[in-house]
Amino acid sequence: MIGRSGNPTLNDNSFERTRHYDGTERMTIEGTVNKAFITLAILLGGAFVSWSMYFKGDNVMPYVIGGLIGGLILSLIISFKPTSAPYLVPVYAAFEGVFLGAISANYEARFDGITLQASLLTMCVFVALLLAYKTRIIRATENFKLGVFAATAGIALVYLASWILGMFGVTVPYLHDSSLIGIGISVFIVVIAALNLVLDFDFIENGAQQGAPKYMEWYGAFGLMVTLVWLYLEILRLLAKIASRD
């Protein structure tokens, strides 16, 4: 059985559905990396558009909402139907990029230079964990996977509860404030988001070893992008909390 991933888009069932695939083209790590770069390029292109519009004074709120809703709908379709990944992942990246660019521009307007810091930190974390995984300093054991999965699910539930309670004017203590406890919570979430990268690396590697169909390269790139976007946003929020204390 291929190991589980804390990332909800990458799980055992994703490859279980391809078990009886009879095609000749198979998933490779190199192919997945190439698809990930293509997806990232599209995401950055979409982000540049909404970023530029924000600093020109245009109203980007419709793009934020549209990007968020469109990305969510597409992510659900891709998750439940991986065969659609080659066609929908590039579109998802564009929606996500538009959303991400507008959000990043808003943070940049409040804290000069924060998006560059968040981007560099995200890249450094990605490279460090990739090296740690390749050299087996960090191993994706079953207990490790279960721990990260449980922590990720817990964070998702807290965010969901915060969103629901927010509609009734109730704020979850410490989650969004810049107190030392709030910063500590953000650090914990950043760590869990980063550890999901290890599970994604392991999942993609095992998928290639098991001979998953070629379209799963796009699916693997999609799952990796979901984790990277989450990690970037959490680092952005953490830096904003720290900057607001100055």
Side-chain angles (χ1 to χ4, degrees), residues 52-136:
S52 300
M53 292 178 64
Y54 182 93
F55 284 106
K56 287 180 181 177
D58 297 336
N59 179 21
V60 297
M61 187 54 64
Y63 296 93
V64 172
I65 297 174
L68 180 62
I69 295 176
L72 177 61
I73 293 173
L74 287 172
S75 66
L76 290 174
I77 295 174
I78 296 168
S79 297
F80 285 105
K81 191 173 183 181
T83 53
S84 67
Y87 315 104
L88 296 185
V89 169
V91 183
Y92 163 81
F95 273 99
E96 197 73 5
V98 170
F99 165 75
L100 205 61
I103 294 296
S104 298
N106 181 264
Y107 273 98
E108 184 69 20
R110 294 163 54 199
F111 307 103
D112 184 43
I114 193 172
T115 52
L116 177 59
Q117 296 173 29
S119 299
L120 290 176
L121 282 173
T122 302
M123 185 184 306
C124 289
V125 170
F126 175 83
V127 172
L129 286 176
L130 179 60
L131 290 174
Y133 174 76
K134 294 298 291 183
T135 56
R136 298 304 186 233

Side-chain angles (χ1 to χ4, degrees), residues 166-183:
M167 293 190 294
F168 298 97
V170 179
T171 303
V172 176
Y174 305 117
L175 185 60
H176 303 293
D177 64 42
S178 57
S179 66
L180 291 178
I181 295 177
I183 290 174

Side-chain angles (χ1 to χ4, degrees), residues 111-226:
F111 307 103
D112 184 43
I114 193 172
T115 52
L116 177 59
Q117 296 173 29
S119 299
L120 290 176
L121 282 173
T122 302
M123 185 184 306
C124 289
V125 170
F126 175 83
V127 172
L129 286 176
L130 179 60
L131 290 174
Y133 174 76
K134 294 298 291 183
T135 56
R136 298 304 186 233
I137 294 176
I138 296 179
R139 296 178 180 272
T141 63
E142 280 303 307
N143 287 336
F144 180 88
K145 295 173 186 177
L146 284 171
V148 175
F149 179 80
T152 303
I155 292 169
L157 289 175
V158 170
Y159 274 144
L160 178 62
S162 174
W163 178 69
I164 294 174
L165 291 173
M167 293 190 294
F168 298 97
V170 179
T171 303
V172 176
Y174 305 117
L175 185 60
H176 303 293
D177 64 42
S178 57
S179 66
L180 291 178
I181 295 177
I183 290 174
I185 291 173
S186 285
V187 169
F188 173 76
I189 296 175
V190 166
V191 170
I192 296 303
L195 291 179
N196 269 273
L197 287 172
V198 176
L199 303 193
D200 296 342
F201 299 150
D202 181 70
F203 189 84
I204 292 170
E205 182 178 59
N206 286 333
Q209 291 175 352
Q210 294 291 332
K214 194 71 173 176
Y215 65 80
M216 292 300 288
E217 292 178 351
W218 280 105
Y219 191 79
F222 162 68
L224 191 60
M225 188 59 55
V226 169

Side-chain angles (χ1 to χ4, degrees), residues 10-74:
L10 298 181
N11 52 59
D12 294 338
N13 291 333
S14 303
F15 285 110
E16 282 293 320
R17 291 193 289 266
T18 70
R19 182 181 292 268
H20 303 294
Y21 176 74
D22 295 323
T24 55
E25 289 190 306
R26 299 290 179 174
M27 176 183 183
T28 64
I29 294 177
E30 181 181 1
T32 305
V33 170
N34 292 337
K35 305 300 189 301
F37 275 119
I38 294 172
T39 305
L40 178 61
I42 296 172
L43 183 143
L44 291 176
F48 177 78
V49 171
S50 56
W51 173 284
S52 300
M53 292 178 64
Y54 182 93
F55 284 106
K56 287 180 181 177
D58 297 336
N59 179 21
V60 297
M61 187 54 64
Y63 296 93
V64 172
I65 297 174
L68 180 62
I69 295 176
L72 177 61
I73 293 173
L74 287 172

